[in-house]
Amino acid sequence: MRQIPVDTANATVMVAKAPQPKVKDRRTGEIALDKDGVTLMTVEVMFSTPEEVEILKLTVPQPGVSENLTMGTPVALTGLVASAWENEFNGQKRHGIAFRAVAVTSLAAAASNAKAA
């Protein structure tokens, strides 16, 4: 699947929903892991550019998620890519865009450290 890099240079990004483990199978509650066995997390962010505002649901490996990410926390996204997907379930075709990042880093901690200096 082709991954398209997403430019975040002109965007303001804030946490819309705190990180949660990504569920692979809703029936069993199985948590999703990447190919290296690392737990995957889901983080919803408000992605705001001068033209529009969207809520994006990102998949991020657990080690790449900053601690204390709460709603409204400004964040930086590292390695954000978009991938188109399509599947068929019960005869219904579905499609969309999946977003994945290497890391979601809190900018609130950096701002408070700068004020203290």
Side-chain angles (χ1 to χ4, degrees), residues 88-92:
E88 189 170 330
F89 184 73
N90 289 337
Q92 297 280 333

Side-chain angles (χ1 to χ4, degrees), residues 84-101:
W85 61 269
E86 180 177 277
N87 65 23
E88 189 170 330
F89 184 73
N90 289 337
Q92 297 280 333
K93 284 193 176 188
R94 298 176 52 201
H95 58 88
I97 299 173
F99 294 92
R100 185 172 176 126

Side-chain angles (χ1 to χ4, degrees), residues 74 107-117:
L107 296 176
S112 64
N113 289 342
K115 288 180 185 176

Side-chain angles (χ1 to χ4, degrees), residues 31-113:
I31 301 301
L33 304 174
D34 70 7
K35 62 182 174 167
D36 298 321
V38 175
T39 299
L40 294 174
M41 303 294 286
T42 300
V43 183
E44 292 185 37
V45 297
M46 181 191 75
F47 191 90
S48 174
T49 64
E51 294 81 33
E52 62 186 312
V53 175
E54 290 189 54
I55 300 295
L56 304 181
K57 186 182 279 192
L58 312 176
T59 298
V60 185
Q62 189 172 28
V65 178
S66 284
E67 292 183 20
N68 303 321
L69 292 183
T70 58
M71 190 166 86
T73 303
V75 293
L77 305 177
T78 304
L80 181 62
V81 294
S83 302
W85 61 269
E86 180 177 277
N87 65 23
E88 189 170 330
F89 184 73
N90 289 337
Q92 297 280 333
K93 284 193 176 188
R94 298 176 52 201
H95 58 88
I97 299 173
F99 294 92
R100 185 172 176 126
V102 172
V104 177
T105 308
S106 172
L107 296 176
S112 64
N113 289 342

